[in-house]
Amino acid sequence: MATIDCFDKTVRDVNTKLRDFVSGGKNDIHIINPESLHNLAVAITKAANITIDGSVGYYCAGMIDGPTIRINGSAGWGLAESMLSGTVRVNGSAGNGAAAAIRDGTVIIEADAAARLGVSMKGGLVLVGGNCGYMAGFMGQKGTLIVCGDVGAGFADSMYETVCFVGGEIAELGTDAIIEKPTEDEYSYLSRTLTLHLPTKMEAPGFAIDRFKKVISGRKLWNFDNQDWETWREAM
Amino acid sequence: MSNEQDINQRLLQQSSTFNSQVIDDIQSKAELGRYRMRGYGTLRQRTWATFDDLTFIPSTLTRIPLEGYRERCKTKTILGSRYAKKPIELEIPIMITGMSWGALSFNAKVALAKGAAKVGSSNTTGDGGMLPAERENSKVLIYEVLPSRYGINVHDLLSADGIELTIGQGAKPGTGGLLLGSKVRESIAGQRDLPIGVDQRSPARHPDFLGPDDMRIKIEELREATDWKVPIFVKMGASRVFDDVRLAAKAGADVIVVDGMEGGTAASPEIMQEHTGTPTLAAVCEARAALEDIGLYGDVQLIIAGGIRNGVDAAKAIALGADAIYIGTTALIGLNCNKPIYTEDYHKLGTEPYHCHHCHTGGCPVGITTQDPELMKRLDIAEGAERISNLLLAMTYEIQMLARACGKANIHNLDPDDMRALSLEASMICGVPLVGTNKVFSDGPGWKSKIGK
């Protein structure tokens, strides 16, 4: 395993070394003492297993395509933003805009996510073990967003085709968001996904897969309708 | 009584408050049940100070002109020298601004790329990501990172010669893009990860940062992603220009793009185009003053956009402090926008050549702002590219002509003292003397180097 010690290094130093390792074919890379540096491991475009021991700042794993990145700590804003593929797992919590605008890949936040989780997501899977803040899923275009706990106000506002599942309470639905009961296939998908990525959730006392609600777009904001004043007065 | 002869001409007086345009606006909204949308930018009578309120004062006895057709007048333009390892080098200072594939047709995007490349200039992607054909046909391509992040792709970003972090645009600062359902066809919907036929409303804010402190980190992310090789631009609609430019410069931008109120768009609420923003003339003055205020004028390059029509407007903007100029609507007009051809199709849209601002409909009669394959065929890529390269060169020659007449061997040596104001307002805004007075009225935009004092 290759190791990079961030102590006393700039993010430039760390990212340069990381890219050297990845392009040199090293598959297992361990980053220690990240000290909440911003912009760690951005734009990594090859497969590699990268473990970061400690909390990270803004935009960690932003714009990646392919690597598997595990953060043993918490993450600042914009975790994995705009990723194309790969997996990012945080065993703590994540700040605002986690998984913003991702096009594919998987983002797993074991604890809580702050506001605007998965905003403008265009594909992929976002999975939160705990709760999330307001405006999660805002303008979500495609992909799947799963929150095992409670979600804040304005949930799933103005979405296109993102499909959301919530295991806890929804403080308030966003404009044009509607609740549906998941199908049996969707319950099976949720069980498989949680078993794969967050198995301890499935084993937790009182956990029940049938508590999950499905939230999707009501599609009333897709095209303007001057007869639908109730919906559009919130959106125009 | 409907007989024309029975109309009393003396009583035919239109209200200046409720004139025909206002009546049409009210009745349209009563029909639509929403605000009006259209393309093109402001249609208002320009009662504010513009570049037309300035005149060059070429060399006579106090200065020596250069020979107009003999002596060299350099036009090379360098952008991004502050931090980028590879600043952008352009042969000319006129660049093509960001316009999306979606708003524009494939043929228009490729023609712009080819035309700009031919004369050593650049073009910019737009809200919808990068077209492979755009990269293949560009010499210098700037990749826009917009609030919507439609089509965001790290590989495209890494292939770009510059990155433009777009905060807003001059035609509609403070709002996101619009692409009405008629233009969201299969290919555009696929590129943007949207359902076919939706009225696409882009976000007004970036999904992962809010203010300038966060933006500083975002800019660093883009630099880290690109190994600090390419310049990072920050583009904004002209609003509180003095403060916004200082914030963008302090956040680490290499290049700041200020897009004035006269800037164009393919679709926007009409009121945003008509009643928001700072005019381009005032914007360039405030932007320069801002960079001077923080000691970064010259270190951070300034690109001015918004209704620049010709080399004269461009030369005046450069004299006031711009390093380069973006054109959008002017480039589209160069591609035949509003040309009196296919007149019957203008009529289908309810308009006429020279009056068309129906980019939002997708029915562009000349194949520019459309996704209709039949209409698109009307814009031949090779011919379009030739027109763009001709236009860019012609504008550059105009700038050179004015610079030589003012005794400048480099267009970037044009300065405010090469001009005089034709109106009191222009003198106050630009800080250049009013003709016939040799006085600057007010302190201008607050430049450190006062002109005429």
Side-chain angles (χ1 to χ4, degrees):
Chain A
M1 179 181 287
T3 300
I4 302 170
D5 187 346
C6 301
F7 180 74
D8 240 8
K9 288 191 179 69
T10 65
V11 69
R12 183 83 287 256
D13 297 334
V14 176
N15 282 337
T16 302
K17 191 73 181 169
L18 178 58
R19 293 227 174 97
D20 288 346
F21 281 160
V22 172
S23 59
K26 293 198 186 304
N27 277 328
D28 289 302
I29 302 163
H30 199 189
I31 296 176
I32 59 173
N33 299 314
E35 298 181 331
S36 298
L37 279 173
H38 300 308
N39 299 319
L40 275 177
V42 299
I44 301 295
T45 56
K46 288 183 178 169
N49 291 309
I50 300 167
T51 303
I52 302 175
D53 262 341
S55 293
V56 296
Y58 279 37
Y59 307 126
C60 182
M63 297 184 282
I64 58 169
D65 186 13
T68 297
I69 298 177
R70 182 186 177 90
I71 298 161
N72 291 321
S74 290
W77 284 31
L79 173 77
E81 61 88 16
S82 303
M83 76 186 283
L84 284 188
S85 74
T87 301
V88 176
R89 172 184 281 270
V90 180
N91 71 4
S93 294
N96 277 11
I102 65 168
R103 296 189 72 188
D104 208 341
T106 302
V107 177
I108 304 150
I109 299 161
E110 294 186 24
D112 298 327
R116 294 167 68 82
L117 169 76
V119 57
S120 288
M121 61 187 288
K122 298 154 200 328
L125 168 65
V126 180
L127 178 54
V128 176
N131 306 320
C132 76
Y134 63 88
M135 294 294 276
F138 178 58
M139 292 187 87
Q141 296 172 225
K142 286 181 181 169
T144 307
L145 190 154
I146 303 171
V147 180
C148 295
D150 301 336
V151 299
F155 184 68
D157 192 294
S158 303
M159 289 201 310
Y160 294 100
E161 294 177 301
T162 297
V163 177
C164 306
F165 297 97
V166 181
E169 298 301 317
I170 299 171
E172 176 207 42
L173 283 176
T175 306
D176 197 28
I178 57 172
I179 296 177
E180 283 187 354
K181 184 174 168 55
T183 63
E184 287 307 312
D185 283 350
E186 285 166 339
Y187 280 129
S188 299
Y189 164 77
L190 282 169
S191 294
R192 285 196 312 275
T193 304
L194 290 172
T195 302
L196 180 65
H197 295 298
L198 288 174
T200 54
K201 277 280 159 198
M202 294 289 285
E203 295 153 9
F207 181 85
I209 203 75
D210 60 5
R211 286 183 53 199
F212 275 84
K213 296 177 272 289
K214 178 183 171 188
V215 181
I216 57 172
S217 164
R219 304 186 173 198
K220 290 183 175 178
L221 294 176
W222 286 21
N223 295 94
F224 179 73
D225 178 0
N226 67 2
Q227 300 303 306
D228 189 3
W229 165 242
E230 285 301 315
T231 301
W232 280 91
R233 70 178 177 178
E234 300 291 332
M236 289 291 267
Chain B
M1 285 296 289
S2 62
N3 190 318
E4 210 171 292
Q5 292 170 335
D6 296 331
I7 294 172
N8 185 335
Q9 294 297 325
R10 285 188 300 114
L11 297 179
L12 264 187
Q13 193 174 0
Q14 195 175 83
S15 164
S16 59
T17 305
F18 292 98
N19 60 31
S20 57
Q21 286 170 327
V22 174
I23 290 170
D24 180 53
D25 179 56
I26 293 168
Q27 291 175 348
S28 293
K29 286 184 288 196
E31 188 178 322
L32 290 168
R34 61 164 167 79
Y35 43 71
R36 299 173 83 179
M37 291 186 229
R38 61 168 175 78
Y40 216 63
T42 180
L43 302 178
R44 288 169 68 186
Q45 186 83 28
R46 297 202 300 169
T47 52
W48 54 89
T50 70
F51 290 111
D52 288 341
D53 288 42
L54 295 171
T55 184
F56 280 100
I57 47 169
S59 309
T60 45
L61 291 178
T62 54
R63 306 271 176 91
I64 302 167
L66 301 188
E67 290 295 345
Y69 307 101
R70 296 286 186 276
E71 290 181 284
R72 284 186 185 174
C73 180
K74 292 179 183 170
T75 60
K76 191 174 280 294
T77 300
I78 312 288
L79 301 170
S81 53
R82 186 183 187 191
Y83 293 123
K85 290 179 192 167
K86 293 182 180 173
I88 288 172
E89 277 195 37
L90 303 172
E91 297 301 320
I92 61 173
I94 314 291
M95 311 160 74
I96 306 293
T97 195
M99 294 176 278
S100 74
W101 175 52
L104 301 194
S105 65
F106 176 91
N107 290 19
K109 285 297 282 177
V110 178
L112 291 169
K114 286 171 88 83
K118 188 177 174 185
V119 293
S121 183
S122 68
N123 59 299
T124 310
T125 54
D127 197 3
M130 185 188 287
L131 270 173
E134 194 174 20
R135 177 64 276 183
E136 288 159 19
N137 288 286
S138 298
K139 182 179 180 203
V140 175
L141 181 57
I142 295 153
Y143 185 77
E144 269 193 287
V145 175
L146 292 117
S148 71
R149 309 281 166 87
Y150 293 134
I152 187 85
N153 184 313
V154 64
H155 303 284
D156 293 341
L157 182 129
L158 295 177
S159 77
D161 304 290
I163 312 292
E164 185 169 279
L165 187 61
T166 300
I167 308 302
Q169 65 180 95
K172 46 184 172 181
T175 61
L178 274 176
L179 194 68
L180 298 185
S182 59
K183 293 171 89 169
V184 185
R185 296 194 178 200
E186 190 174 0
S187 55
I188 300 299
Q191 170 88 355
R192 298 185 182 209
D193 301 301
L194 287 169
I196 294 169
V198 295
D199 293 334
Q200 169 239 291
R201 291 153 183 270
S202 305
R205 296 191 302 269
H206 279 269
D208 51 5
F209 70 91
L210 294 175
D213 293 336
D214 309 332
M215 189 174 78
R216 184 188 64 74
I217 306 169
K218 185 73 195 173
I219 288 173
E220 185 188 69
E221 183 200 13
L222 296 170
R223 289 197 193 285
E224 284 296 314
T226 54
D227 280 329
W228 291 67
K229 286 178 185 160
V230 302
I232 309 296
F233 297 21
V234 172
K235 178 183 178 181
M236 59 182 75
S239 292
R240 294 176 176 86
V241 180
F242 186 79
D243 292 330
D244 290 337
V245 166
R246 289 189 306 166
L247 289 168
K250 287 198 167 183
D254 290 303
V255 179
I256 295 173
V257 182
V258 179
D259 190 12
M261 172 181 149
E262 295 95 325
T265 175
S268 168
E270 187 167 50
I271 58 164
M272 298 305 294
Q273 297 174 66
E274 299 293 14
H275 298 286
T276 63
T278 298
T280 307
L281 177 71
V284 63
C285 296
E286 281 196 56
R288 174 180 173 160
L291 292 175
E292 286 191 346
D293 185 63
I294 55 174
L296 288 175
Y297 181 62
D299 294 333
V300 173
Q301 281 79 46
L302 186 61
I303 298 176
I304 291 297
I308 303 288
R309 302 161 297 179
N310 48 43
V312 182
D313 288 350
K316 289 173 181 173
I318 289 168
L320 289 170
D323 294 280
I325 304 297
Y326 268 168
I327 58 167
T329 304
T330 294
L332 302 189
I333 292 171
L335 286 176
N336 284 344
C337 165
N338 267 295
K339 190 168 185 172
I341 51 178
Y342 307 110
T343 308
E344 66 282 4
D345 287 325
Y346 286 95
H347 293 163
K348 281 182 195 167
L349 296 173
T351 187
E352 292 270 8
Y354 306 113
H355 298 79
C356 185
H357 43 74
H358 294 50
C359 325
H360 62 298
T361 66
C364 178
V366 290
I368 299 171
T369 56
T370 183
Q371 300 305 318
D372 181 326
E374 291 306 312
L375 292 173
M376 204 189 316
K377 282 179 192 168
R378 296 177 179 180
L379 176 60
D380 181 83
I381 292 175
E383 285 176 18
E386 186 72 13
R387 298 178 69 82
I388 290 301
S389 58
N390 285 343
L391 174 67
L392 292 170
L393 282 180
M395 288 180 69
T396 304
Y397 294 152
E398 288 175 335
I399 302 170
Q400 285 177 300
M401 177 181 290
L402 292 165
R404 286 194 184 99
C406 292
K408 304 293 168 73
N410 187 322
I411 60 154
H412 297 292
N413 292 342
L414 283 166
D415 66 48
D417 199 35
D418 290 316
M419 299 184 294
R420 290 293 180 267
L422 297 170
S423 71
L424 196 57
E425 284 178 10
S427 175
M428 295 173 77
I429 291 167
C430 302
V432 302
L434 180 68
V435 286
T437 68
N438 284 327
K439 282 184 187 170
V440 177
F441 290 83
S442 93
D443 289 333
W447 294 346
K448 300 217 183 263
S449 50
K450 296 284 189 266
I451 311 299
K453 283 191 174 177

